Amino acid sequence: MTIRAFLLLLSGAQFAAAQDSTFLLTTVDPKRAPSPYIGNGHLGFVIPALGVGASNTFMAGLYEHGAGDVPRIVAIPAWNAVDVFIGDRWLGAEGESAPVTRYRQTVDMRSGTARTSYDWAPGGQAITVRIETLASRAQPHLTSIRLDLTPQQPGPLRVRLAMAGRAPPRRLPLGTLEQAVPDWKPDDIWYPGHMVVRGRNVVRRPGGARLTLISTPVGRKITLGQAAVVKWPRELQRPVVRTVATADTALVEIAFDATAGQTYSFSQMASSVSSTEFPHPLARATQEVEAASGRGYVRLTADNTEAWRQRWESDIEIEGDPALQRAVRSMLFYLLCSADKGTRLGIPPMGLSSGGYYGHIFWDSDTWMFPPLLLTHPDVAHSLVAFRRRTLPAARANAQMNGFRGAMYPWEADELGKETTPRFAIQNATSEVHVNGDVALAQWQYYQATGDSAWLAREGYPVIQGTAEFWVSRSEYDRSDGRYHIRNVVSVSEGLIGVGNDAYTNAVARKNLEIATAASKRVGKPDDPRWSEIAGKLHIPYDSVSEIYRTYEGAHDSTLGDVTPLLAYPLGVPMSDRAKRRTLEPAVKKLTSGPGGALMGAALLSVNAAELGDRELVDSLLPFSYQRWMQGPFLMLSETPTNKAVHFLTGAGSFLQQVIFGYTGLRIGDSGLEPAFPPVLPSRIKRLVLRGIHVRGKRYDVILDAGGRRIVPHERRVSR
């Protein structure tokens, strides 16, 4: 394709984005908070308020393990340490206090690109700054930043283009510490892991340079190679170039005399490659970035835009509420920023945005984030179930270590699938065992949605079988009542420790055992008769007089609604409408009258309300299902309304399930996508379209409006 064609493609994509403002997240406040992040599912990084300066970048699957600490996802050496100097001030050092005007920062979700612009006037001088940053969706190791500077007065100007390591964190011994400190804040314990820079280099060339770094994560035998090609205008007046390659830094500084009104463009393309992917990561990174630089910045951005355009062929379109449309798109966008096909990794609760929850992978990945990706981007969803298959040996070893058979998946897993829960929460590691059923359910849902029997036999069934074996060894038969019981667990409501017959745990265990029996028939393997025996007799505490499911055996009424709405969805426990309503009512009361807890549970209540056909309740729950958790102009979700632990992708997945499996009345079943109940649209939504969803190798548009629900073959949109 010619450069002209790429320019046309790029301008067309930008025009389309301009035509639909719900793809744009924008602020004019330089003190905006929290900061957004963007990514391509392999690399994710935070966008600074001024667009310049080193910011945290996280690579999917790259972890370290410091002495006495738990394994952590690392912040790799900054590939984007770009800065500008005028007079006696560095722009990046001033941060939010910089005297800027005409500020605007935009995340363009259609192309996964962040753009920041403003006028900076330190000490009477003034300069217009524009920065564009992206992580290429087309080439997963590549990132890029472009800096355009337009001085308003002539004078000296200096630009720094660099890659730089980070200081080691102040560690806590979370691997051995028996008790948490009550006044800990998220930042106190969720610091990123550390990379030690082992080598650095700068190679000068006309109008540019190549920077390289080699680093290793603490406690892991992995090498990260990073290479960046930096470019600057060749026509600079009286340029003085300085290079530095020492300690944890490789940089080049260009000082020159600037002309008023002239725009100077600087760019830094980088490739970051791990030895887990290629045996010679620095050579690979260098090769990739040199090739990308040779093709040019326009080609890089065009390829990225086209890759994102293909992703947005699967979309959720809402008519009647632009603010809700933007919020829904942001949730799907941020999920895609932290996941991609081929990674064989789950998604941490905060994705690739931070060191939140140490980057560990919980049931959040299987139960909350996986289902919406399964229909919109099944190749991405495959990475999540592939992670569990890849780490099955570790789960089997964990079961054996804890005295059980089969596979016992960790409560918190690192990239190796090992149990990594901090010592102060060890009860979760040993007793919050519902995660095993959650893992199995996701495997089965992948098979149901794709119909891929070969995958089921090869990949899914071993996981389903292993988790079923675990429940056989974890349950106990009581001859006095003729039932099986699962005792001494941590409930989904994690303050309930050491309880017996937790409703969710037992229900998901039963689901797991039923799935194992069905899966064995699909793949032509003999089932274990104990699976159906235990599933049929596994006790789930239910009061048949009041038609209420108890949270656990003997639970106090104050716990009603904490967990049990999850029985109807996602577990699909058969129950009467009265039981469903009686289970839902206390949860709704707590949500609407209290401060609001974790978003993951709150958003799913609308699914139960929709199943009941209660549009009034669906309407009333909609604002309670996301608004209190939405933070800042970039529409990032926090875990709770008060803890400000942002980029909570678990909540994004939960809310998207509300739309996909609540309002539409659809479920994933044995025939693929199945109507389960009449659709219920909130009054705020005039028309809802699930565009380009994937079911068993075909694509469909699901349309809901005043005329009802229609499922039609997908019609591809024509780009303008």
Side-chain angles (χ1 to χ4, degrees):
M1 187 179 291
T2 65
I3 291 294
R4 175 178 170 79
F6 274 106
L7 286 169
L8 289 172
L9 174 62
L10 183 60
S11 63
Q14 291 173 333
F15 175 77
Q19 292 298 101
D20 187 351
S21 64
T22 59
F23 276 101
L24 304 178
L25 306 174
T26 300
T27 183
V28 295
D29 180 8
K31 299 185 184 301
R32 89 289 181 274
S35 292
Y37 86 104
I38 60 175
N40 59 14
H42 299 259
L43 295 163
F45 51 88
V46 176
I47 304 299
L50 297 181
V52 299
S55 65
N56 281 342
T57 296
F58 298 89
M59 175 179 281
L62 189 56
Y63 289 69
E64 56 102 273
H65 193 179
D69 203 352
V70 295
R72 297 174 178 274
I73 195 169
V74 301
I76 67 175
W79 62 272
N80 57 350
V82 174
D83 211 344
V84 180
F85 186 87
I86 297 179
D88 60 353
R89 302 185 194 181
W90 285 104
L91 174 58
E94 293 205 325
E96 293 180 2
S97 64
V100 300
T101 56
R102 295 201 304 159
Y103 177 87
R104 178 174 294 273
Q105 188 168 73
T106 298
V107 171
D108 181 351
M109 296 185 288
R110 189 183 290 276
S111 63
T113 303
R115 300 182 181 94
T116 310
S117 63
Y118 47 87
D119 290 343
W120 179 40
Q125 295 177 282
I127 187 170
T128 298
V129 181
R130 294 184 180 87
I131 308 102
E132 181 172 275
T133 313
L134 62 87
S136 174
R137 190 93 214 179
Q139 297 170 279
H141 302 127
L142 288 178
T143 50
S144 177
I145 182 168
R146 176 173 172 144
L147 173 68
D148 290 337
L149 303 174
T150 308
Q152 297 175 18
Q153 297 92 19
L157 190 61
R158 195 188 327 169
V159 176
R160 175 183 294 164
L161 303 159
M163 293 197 297
R166 297 188 170 279
R170 182 179 178 183
R171 291 191 185 273
L172 293 170
L174 298 189
T176 57
L177 198 62
E178 295 288 345
Q179 289 187 328
V181 175
D183 60 353
W184 273 345
K185 296 179 175 60
D187 288 346
D188 295 331
I189 58 174
W190 291 348
Y191 46 85
H194 183 54
M195 299 289 293
V196 179
V197 175
R198 305 293 186 182
R200 76 294 300 159
N201 193 28
V202 179
V203 177
R204 281 278 310 275
R205 59 181 61 168
R210 185 176 71 217
L211 318 175
T212 58
L213 286 183
I214 299 175
S215 59
T216 58
V218 172
R220 291 281 202 259
K221 294 181 179 180
I222 297 170
T223 299
L224 177 69
Q226 293 175 280
V229 171
V230 301
K231 293 183 178 180
W232 56 82
R234 295 196 180 195
E235 67 276 11
L236 297 179
Q237 297 181 35
R238 290 184 291 279
V240 176
V241 178
R242 181 175 75 97
T243 63
V244 176
T246 185
D248 63 355
T249 300
L251 68 81
V252 58
E253 283 185 5
I254 311 98
F256 62 100
D257 292 335
T259 300
Q262 181 172 339
T263 298
Y264 300 90
S265 294
F266 301 80
S267 65
Q268 181 161 321
M269 291 185 192
S271 177
S272 301
V273 179
S274 166
S275 60
T276 59
E277 298 177 277
F278 296 96
H280 304 290
L282 183 60
R284 178 74 182 198
T286 302
Q287 177 187 6
E288 288 188 352
V289 76
E290 291 286 10
S293 177
R295 290 191 298 270
Y297 183 80
V298 170
R299 175 71 178 265
L300 176 75
T301 57
D303 287 348
N304 172 65
T305 299
E306 172 60 16
W308 272 105
R309 185 200 65 77
Q310 293 178 25
R311 283 294 172 197
W312 284 115
E313 275 293 315
S314 293
D315 193 8
I316 299 173
E317 298 177 354
I318 293 172
E319 292 183 14
D321 193 334
L324 181 60
Q325 170 70 91
R326 187 177 285 109
V328 167
R329 281 215 175 104
S330 74
M331 295 180 195
L332 184 55
F333 172 72
Y334 287 131
L335 272 176
L336 290 173
C337 285
S338 289
D340 197 16
K341 64 180 180 180
T343 65
R344 301 175 73 202
L345 289 164
I347 309 175
M350 276 68 177
L352 298 179
S353 71
S354 72
Y357 281 110
Y358 327 103
H360 294 172
I361 297 166
F362 294 70
W363 71 307
D364 304 42
S365 180
D366 309 88
T367 299
W368 305 95
M369 304 182 217
F370 171 77
L373 289 172
L374 178 57
L375 292 185
T376 57
H377 302 278
D379 58 338
V380 177
H382 177 265
S383 288
L384 279 60
V385 290
F387 169 70
R388 298 302 189 180
R389 178 63 180 92
R390 176 172 65 83
T391 60
L392 177 58
R396 286 192 173 276
N398 191 40
Q400 185 176 17
M401 185 178 66
N402 283 278
F404 302 109
R405 295 189 300 276
M408 180 178 175
Y409 279 91
W411 175 239
E412 301 185 28
D414 62 6
E415 85 285 14
L416 304 174
K418 294 184 177 181
E419 179 60 75
T420 53
T421 302
R423 181 68 188 178
F424 65 76
I426 195 64
Q427 71 279 354
N428 299 77
T430 59
S431 302
E432 194 159 356
V433 292
H434 65 79
V435 62
N436 297 284
D438 303 315
V439 167
L441 179 55
Q443 302 286 319
W444 185 242
Q445 288 174 331
Y446 184 82
Y447 163 69
Q448 289 179 311
T450 63
D452 190 342
S453 297
W455 173 88
L456 178 64
R458 183 181 64 254
E459 303 290 334
Y461 183 70
V463 174
I464 294 169
Q465 181 187 39
T467 49
E469 290 171 354
F470 169 79
W471 293 118
V472 170
S473 66
R474 187 63 171 81
S475 59
E476 303 172 9
Y477 183 68
D478 189 334
R479 293 183 181 275
S480 66
D481 62 5
R483 292 175 173 176
Y484 286 88
H485 302 262
I486 300 175
R487 298 189 170 96
N488 189 28
V489 302
V490 174
S491 172
V492 170
S493 180
E494 293 177 9
L496 305 175
I497 300 170
V499 302
N501 293 317
D502 173 68
Y504 183 90
T505 301
N506 287 23
V508 81
R510 183 171 74 183
K511 188 81 171 179
N512 191 165
L513 293 164
E514 292 170 344
I515 286 170
T517 299
S520 66
K521 291 179 171 59
R522 300 291 171 88
V523 301
K525 294 182 180 292
D527 66 306
D528 186 334
R530 292 175 297 178
W531 296 345
S532 56
E533 161 76 11
I534 296 171
K537 296 180 180 180
L538 191 56
H539 178 47
I540 299 177
Y542 176 65
D543 185 337
S544 59
V545 176
S546 62
E547 296 190 66
I548 291 178
Y549 283 90
R550 312 299 299 187
T551 305
Y552 59 92
E553 188 67 31
H556 192 274
D557 284 354
S558 62
T559 70
L560 291 177
D562 287 354
V563 171
T564 49
L566 299 177
L567 302 184
Y569 183 85
L571 297 188
V573 172
M575 64 180 75
S576 67
D577 281 356
R578 174 174 167 78
K580 193 175 296 180
R581 190 174 291 276
R582 293 298 304 277
T583 301
L584 179 61
E585 285 171 346
V588 171
K589 183 177 180 180
K590 289 179 179 180
L591 175 64
T592 56
S593 62
L599 175 57
M600 54 209 290
L604 286 192
L605 299 183
S606 289
V607 180
N608 294 355
E611 287 183 355
L612 291 167
D614 192 335
R615 187 178 187 185
E616 182 178 352
L617 183 55
V618 169
D619 279 344
S620 66
L621 285 173
L622 178 55
F624 287 98
S625 66
Y626 75 103
Q627 288 183 352
R628 283 187 283 181
W629 293 265
M630 195 69 79
Q631 306 292 328
F634 297 102
L635 306 185
M636 292 166 295
L637 295 168
S638 58
E639 183 182 21
T640 73
T642 57
N643 75 356
K644 308 301 182 186
V646 293
H647 301 304
F648 188 54
L649 297 185
T650 307
S654 176
F655 186 91
L656 292 173
Q657 290 189 63
Q658 171 182 241
V659 177
I660 296 171
F661 301 110
Y663 303 159
T664 67
L666 298 173
R667 288 288 183 276
I668 297 170
D670 288 340
S671 61
L673 192 64
E674 303 172 349
F677 54 90
V680 181
L681 271 183
S683 300
R684 288 165 56 179
I685 300 177
K686 305 307 178 188
R687 189 171 188 260
L688 170 67
V689 180
L690 307 184
R691 187 171 298 282
I693 63 171
H694 300 249
V695 183
R696 303 209 165 186
K698 297 182 179 180
R699 302 189 73 175
Y700 301 93
D701 295 341
V702 179
I703 304 168
L704 286 83
D705 53 24
R709 176 181 58 209
R710 303 183 300 284
I711 303 177
V712 300
H714 172 56
E715 293 186 8
R716 293 178 63 86
R717 292 173 292 192
V718 179
S719 298
R720 305 189 213 190

